[in-house]
Amino acid sequence: MTSVVMGPFATQILAGLGADVLKIEPPEGDNMRHVGPMRNPAMGHIFLQANQSKRSVVLDLKQPAARDALLRLAEGCDVLISNIRPQAMARLGLAYEDVAARNPRIIHVSCCGFDQRGPYAALPAYDDLIQGATGVPWLAQQYGGGEPAYAPMTLGDRVTGLHAVYAVTAALYARQQTGQGQAVVVPMFEAMTQFILGDHMAGLSFAPQLGGPGYARLLTAHRRPYRTRDGYLCVLIYNDKHWHSFFAAIGQSARMDEPMFATHSQRALHIDAVYAEVARLMRERSTTEWRALLDAADVPNMPMLSPEDLIVDPQHLATGFVHEIDHPSEGRLRTTASPTHWSATPPAAQATPAPRLGEHTLQVLRDAGLSEAEIATLQASRACLQAAPLQPAAPQASTPTTASTQGNPPCPAT
């Protein structure tokens, strides 16, 4: 019972690990179905990326018969995961106690805005709000000056989604040991607070405090891709070995005797001046010249890439991580594989395409044991909806110059 990004990101990972994920959607579908670009209605790009290997079931949970059908599904499931506010789940009669009454072994995971023991328990939460409340815009302002700004990705959603994944797997392992299900709450505010303060507690770590917040190396305005003579390059000269190698490579080994470069502590203390000097030096050579020099010296560096660059990056082409698939209604699509690699029990090599709205409703209800008469009653009241039969999509030309299918055959139509 998840929508938008946080919950679908978590369940996408679980699906990639082999879970059979039933995505329960309202009649209008997940909000992200409707955010373009898209080739067909209700199949937006973020939805397609976050909902592979799932089956879509449409239930109007405002109707008691649909709620009862969902509880029938839950009887045969290991986990119920939602990112609906717990108060709304309780009003629907789908709180942990309600579901556990039908399936005592259920793992009931609530991805919500705030720890339910605090005064913010019932507040709504979205990524922008949580980023703001946990200091991301403040940090951006300290770093870049000017107006505060959100990180240009759904940072809070995805950080919290990763917490949800390990919570599910750990709870399942605990159930294997004890035989008991349980309720797990995964709150965005606390997840992001931990994420931010892990780097930026600084002087606040101590009682009484030893100065203010903020990890200086991350906040210096000079911490950015370095401008070279003809472009940009990302370089991190971090430990003593790197610094000795860097100065030796450019014929300035004696600079390690300068106080601000001599030790890690001194470099941290003078980080603005240190990074500003590196920025000055980087402008003296081209990007190609710097890459050859730094690679030979084993000084960490990487190019600054755009999303378009990423899909043709040699690493991704070699591993098939970014690859193309055939979607039965959306045609040819680019997507990503699991970033993990396993020696003995690898996840499924190929995901199935993100489902159309209500594509699997009838089959899932039949598998849960609902009779044809019960399903017909649900359909008659529009408490459940099934997608119309699929019309074959027109073939889409692939673009091998911008993506790879190496090691990833097109997935079959479902």
Side-chain angles (χ1 to χ4, degrees):
M1 297 178 63
T2 69
S3 63
V4 191
V5 174
M6 174 172 54
F9 177 62
T11 52
Q12 168 95 11
I13 295 170
L14 293 167
L17 294 174
D20 177 12
V21 179
L22 309 179
K23 182 178 178 69
I24 310 301
E25 300 190 64
E28 64 274 16
D30 185 331
N31 287 341
M32 295 315 298
R33 284 185 176 275
H34 310 294
V35 177
M38 63 186 80
R39 284 182 177 143
N40 292 298
M43 297 298 280
H45 68 110
I46 292 179
F47 178 86
L48 290 170
Q49 297 295 339
N51 290 281
Q52 298 175 56
S53 298
K54 303 178 187 180
R55 295 192 283 166
S56 173
V57 178
V58 172
L59 292 173
D60 182 359
L61 294 174
K62 296 175 183 176
Q63 299 193 42
R67 171 191 174 273
D68 291 342
L70 187 138
L71 287 170
R72 291 276 291 276
L73 298 180
E75 290 175 3
C77 288
D78 294 296
V79 179
L80 190 155
I81 181 170
S82 71
N83 60 335
I84 299 168
R85 274 186 276 179
Q87 294 74 19
M89 289 289 282
R91 289 194 297 271
L92 289 169
L94 295 172
Y96 170 65
E97 294 76 15
D98 302 311
V99 182
R102 303 285 286 268
N103 179 358
R105 288 172 55 82
I106 198 79
I107 307 299
H108 187 285
V109 180
S110 175
C111 300
C112 55
F114 306 92
D115 189 314
Q116 294 299 287
R117 298 168 297 179
Y120 300 166
L123 293 181
Y126 291 90
D127 187 86
D128 289 4
L129 305 183
I130 296 300
Q131 283 201 36
T134 56
V136 174
W138 182 89
L139 289 166
Q141 186 177 43
Q142 302 304 304
Y143 169 70
E147 294 297 311
Y150 302 121
M153 71 283 294
T154 51
L155 187 63
D157 281 339
R158 295 182 188 275
V159 166
T160 311
L162 290 172
H163 280 279
V165 171
Y166 79 69
V168 167
T169 54
L172 287 170
Y173 182 75
R175 189 185 70 181
Q176 182 179 337
Q177 308 303 306
T178 67
Q180 296 178 348
Q182 62 179 302
V184 180
V185 176
V186 185
M188 295 178 73
F189 184 57
E190 283 74 14
M192 276 295 288
T193 296
Q194 181 193 61
F195 186 78
I196 296 299
L197 292 185
D199 282 327
H200 292 291
M201 189 84 87
L204 307 182
S205 299
F206 305 91
Q209 69 187 62
L210 300 178
Y215 178 17
R217 192 186 76 79
L218 302 185
L219 291 177
T220 175
H222 299 288
R223 180 182 173 257
R224 59 183 70 244
Y226 291 112
R227 182 184 289 276
T228 65
R229 198 166 60 205
D230 60 354
Y232 291 91
L233 187 63
C234 306
V235 182
L236 183 58
I237 315 167
Y238 190 68
N239 58 33
D240 288 344
K241 177 181 180 296
H242 295 153
W243 282 100
H244 281 287
S245 298
F246 174 73
F247 282 128
I250 63 173
Q252 298 183 26
S253 295
R255 299 207 63 180
M256 282 302 293
D257 296 330
E258 295 178 21
M260 74 175 185
F261 291 117
T263 67
H264 192 99
S265 295
Q266 284 298 307
R267 292 190 296 270
L269 187 63
H270 299 94
I271 196 65
D272 282 342
V274 167
Y275 275 18
E277 177 60 9
V278 175
R280 185 189 70 79
L281 293 168
M282 292 296 295
R283 288 192 290 269
E284 296 177 354
R285 291 175 169 85
S286 70
T287 300
T288 299
E289 289 171 332
W290 272 120
R291 292 219 71 191
L293 191 75
L294 296 175
D295 285 348
D298 198 26
V299 173
N301 72 95
M302 287 292 287
M304 183 181 76
L305 301 182
S306 70
E308 288 180 317
D309 297 325
L310 271 177
I311 65 175
V312 293
D313 183 83
Q315 173 77 8
H316 295 329
L317 293 178
T319 63
F321 179 70
V322 179
H323 58 276
E324 294 184 0
I325 62 172
D326 287 314
H327 192 288
S329 66
E330 306 311 301
R332 197 75 170 163
L333 301 174
R334 293 192 186 96
T335 189
T336 56
S338 169
T340 58
H341 186 78
W342 304 48
S343 66
T345 58
Q350 185 65 61
T352 57
R356 294 178 299 128
L357 181 61
E359 181 176 339
H360 306 96
T361 300
L362 299 186
Q363 187 58 57
V364 168
L365 293 177
R366 291 184 183 115
D367 291 346
L370 276 74
S371 68
E372 293 300 323
E374 288 174 309
I375 293 172
T377 299
L378 287 167
Q379 286 186 287
S381 66
R382 299 186 67 78
C384 79
L385 296 175
Q386 170 71 29
L390 179 65
Q391 300 299 317
Q396 300 289 329
S398 63
T399 52
T401 59
T402 56
S404 172
T405 58
Q406 181 176 348
N408 290 274
C411 61
T414 56

